[in-house]
Amino acid sequence: MTESLQRHPGMTPRSGPVVLVIMDGVGFGKFREGDGVAAAHTETLDELFKTAPWTKLKAHGTAVGLPSDDDMGNSEVGHNAIGCGRVFAQGAKLVNQSILSGKVFEGEVWKKLVRNAVEHDGSMHFIGLTSDGNVHSNISHLRAMVEQAKKDGVPKVKVHTLLDGRDVGETSALEYIDPLQEFLDGISDDTFDARIVSGGGRMVITMDRYNANWDMVRKGWETHVLGKGRLFPSAHEAIETLRGETGAIDQDLPPFVISADGEHPDGPIIDGDSVILFNFRGDRALEITKAFEAEELEEFDRIRYPAVEYAGMMEYDGDLHVPAQYLVNPPSINRTMAEYLCSSGVRQFSISETQKYGHVTYFFNGNRSGKFDDALEEYVEIPSDILPFEQRPWMKCAEITDRVIETIEQGGYDFIKLNYPNGDMVGHTGIYQAVICALEAMDLQLGRLKKAVEKAGGIMVISADHGNSDDMFEHDKTGAVKLKADGRPQAKTAHSLNPVPCIVYDPQYNGEYGATLKEGLGISSLAATCLELLGFSAPDDYDESVLSFQAE
C-alpha cells in the first residue's frame, strides 16, 4: 500500500462528498452540424457553464498516452489517465514500439506459438478487430505478424475478421478487408497459405465485455473455432450480401464463414493450431480469452475445445494474469488515486451500469481488478439493458443517479465517482435523434445530482473521458457535412478528437482557489483536482490540478 497523503494547507474540506461525474463521450464539438451535445436541450449544463468555473481538457493523443495527436482517445486510456493522475504509454503505442523494434518476435511467447504451428503442420490463427481505429487494435500489427509468421516457417495463417464501424467509419469495412485480402493473396505461395476465414460485426460476435452478453461470445466461438455459420466464397461477398440484406452498419453485421468449396469451412480452429487475439485493449478481450483458456466453461457449451497455444496481444488483466500468455507487456501503473485515498482512510463509492462499470473500477484503478480496501470502498453495478442502445437512449442514468443520491444522503462516503455512459454508447450507434435524447436524459439526472450535492455541502466535478456525441456527422476537408445517396448526413460512430469539459461546482466556495481554472491541461489533471478538493496535496509526480491556490 502507498503512503498516506498530506493535508493541503490552503483547502478546507467541505461537509459533503466530492462527486466526480464522468460524462462518457461528451466533448466540445468542432463543427456546429452534428454536435449532439450543443444541439441537445441541457438546462443543467448550460447553467453550470454560466455560473461555475470551467475549462477544457485534452482527452486524446499524447495527452492520454497514445502515439500521436491524430489518435482518438477512448474510455480505457481515458479512465487510466483520470484515475492515475499521470500519462502512461498505452496499448497502441507499446505494441507499435514492440513490433517496429522486432522485440515482440524475439519473445518466448511468439516463438512458442510459431514452433507449435510448425511442429503440428498447423495454422496460426489471428482473431481481432480489422481496422486502424487504434482503440482496440490496428490492422498494421496484423500485417506485420503475418509477414513474420511466413519468415518463421509457419505453413498456414487464418484470419478471423471482426468488423469495426465504430472506431472508424460506420460502413468502411471493405476499405480494410479488400486491401487485406490483396495482401494475403500476394504473400501466399506454394509454401505459405494465408486467407480470411471468418468474420462478423464487433457488436454481434466475440467482443462482449463485463459479462453483459455471453451469447456474443458463443456466436464468435461457433464462427471462428467451429467454422459453423452461413458460408460465403469471400469476405467481400459476405459483407456486401449481409449489408444489403440487413441494412446494418459494420459493427452490427451477422457472422459469416468463408468456404472455398461451398460446403466446408476454410479455417476452423483445431488441435495443434496456434491462436493470437491481436486486440490490445482488455475489456472486450477477456471473455473470448476465457473461452479459450478455461478448462471448464459455464457460460456456454463450446461443443469442441481444441488443444491450441493461445496468446493475447497484451495482458488484459494484470491481477488475474489473463491471458496466461501474451506478446507485449502492458504499462505498469501504480499509485493510483483510489490507492492513495485508501491509504489516507478516505471512504469511496464507485458506480455505473454494466457497460462502463469496469471503467470506474478496473481501468480507473490502473487495470487492477478488485478493491484496494474492502472496508473503505464500495462498487455498485447497475445491469445494462441488453438491446441496441438507440432503443433505450436514456440507458440507466436515472438508476445510477437514484443510488448516488441515496448514498449522498446517507453520508457514508467522502469521494463518489460515477460514469454516465449515454454520450458514448448511444453516440456509437450513429443515430442522431437517439443521441439528443440520451444527452437530455443525462442532463436531467445531472440536475437532480446537483441539488443533492448542494444540500449535502459537497462539490461536484463534471468531466469526460473523451469526445463522441459532440461529433456525430462525417465532414470533408472543407468542414462540410458528407451526405449519403439519399441526402441524409453520413453518420460518424467513432470518438472525436475534441476537448472535454471540466466543471467545478462548489456551492460552499469561499475563495480558497482562483475562480478561473487553468487551461491547456489533459484529463490526467482530474486526479490532482479531486485530491485537492478533498483537502489533500497531490503526489509530486501527479499532473497538475486545474485549481490555482494563492500559495502556488
Side-chain angles (χ1 to χ4, degrees), residues 225-263:
V225 179
L226 305 183
K228 178 182 177 183
R230 185 172 174 183
L231 302 179
F232 291 90
S234 69
H236 182 101
E237 183 170 329
I239 292 167
E240 287 204 323
T241 301
L242 294 171
R243 186 179 287 162
E245 292 176 354
T246 66
I249 61 176
D250 296 343
Q251 62 180 322
D252 297 322
L253 286 175
F256 57 85
V257 175
I258 306 304
S259 171
D261 62 12
E263 296 182 7

Side-chain angles (χ1 to χ4, degrees), residues 165-361:
R166 191 176 177 94
D167 300 323
V168 294
E170 62 177 358
T171 55
S172 60
L174 293 178
E175 297 174 20
Y176 301 101
I177 295 300
D178 287 349
L180 175 61
Q181 184 67 65
E182 184 178 353
F183 163 73
L184 296 176
D185 290 343
I187 201 172
S188 296
D189 55 28
D190 292 341
T191 64
F192 185 68
D193 178 23
R195 61 180 67 190
I196 298 172
V197 296
S198 76
R202 59 178 283 182
M203 296 305 289
V204 178
I205 64 170
T206 312
M207 284 179 61
D208 183 45
R209 67 178 177 192
Y210 307 148
N211 303 303
N213 184 7
W214 268 89
D215 198 52
M216 288 174 57
V217 187
R218 178 191 63 78
K219 292 176 183 176
W221 185 268
E222 290 183 351
T223 304
H224 310 316
V225 179
L226 305 183
K228 178 182 177 183
R230 185 172 174 183
L231 302 179
F232 291 90
S234 69
H236 182 101
E237 183 170 329
I239 292 167
E240 287 204 323
T241 301
L242 294 171
R243 186 179 287 162
E245 292 176 354
T246 66
I249 61 176
D250 296 343
Q251 62 180 322
D252 297 322
L253 286 175
F256 57 85
V257 175
I258 306 304
S259 171
D261 62 12
E263 296 182 7
H264 305 95
D266 282 358
I269 298 174
I270 61 176
D271 290 351
D273 286 348
S274 295
V275 180
I276 292 174
L277 180 62
F278 65 88
N279 286 5
F280 47 71
R281 174 167 159 171
D283 55 347
R284 294 190 183 275
L286 287 170
E287 292 175 34
I288 187 64
T289 294
K290 182 177 180 180
F292 274 103
E293 292 194 332
E295 290 293 331
E296 296 183 3
L297 188 72
E298 298 179 353
E299 286 79 4
F300 67 91
D301 182 1
R302 291 175 290 196
I303 301 179
R304 181 170 58 80
Y305 181 41
V308 302
E309 287 291 346
Y310 175 85
M313 181 64 88
M314 300 187 73
E315 186 178 41
Y316 303 130
D317 189 322
D319 289 305
L320 299 178
H321 298 298
V322 174
Q325 301 183 123
Y326 50 92
L327 299 175
V328 180
N329 290 324
S332 178
I333 300 175
N334 60 3
R335 298 185 300 105
T336 64
M337 176 166 59
E339 185 175 4
Y340 270 115
L341 290 176
C342 283
S343 296
S344 304
V346 176
R347 300 162 298 175
Q348 303 169 66
F349 182 88
S350 306
I351 184 172
S352 188
E353 61 177 279
T354 305
Q355 289 297 328
K356 297 293 181 177
Y357 169 73
H359 292 79
V360 292
T361 55

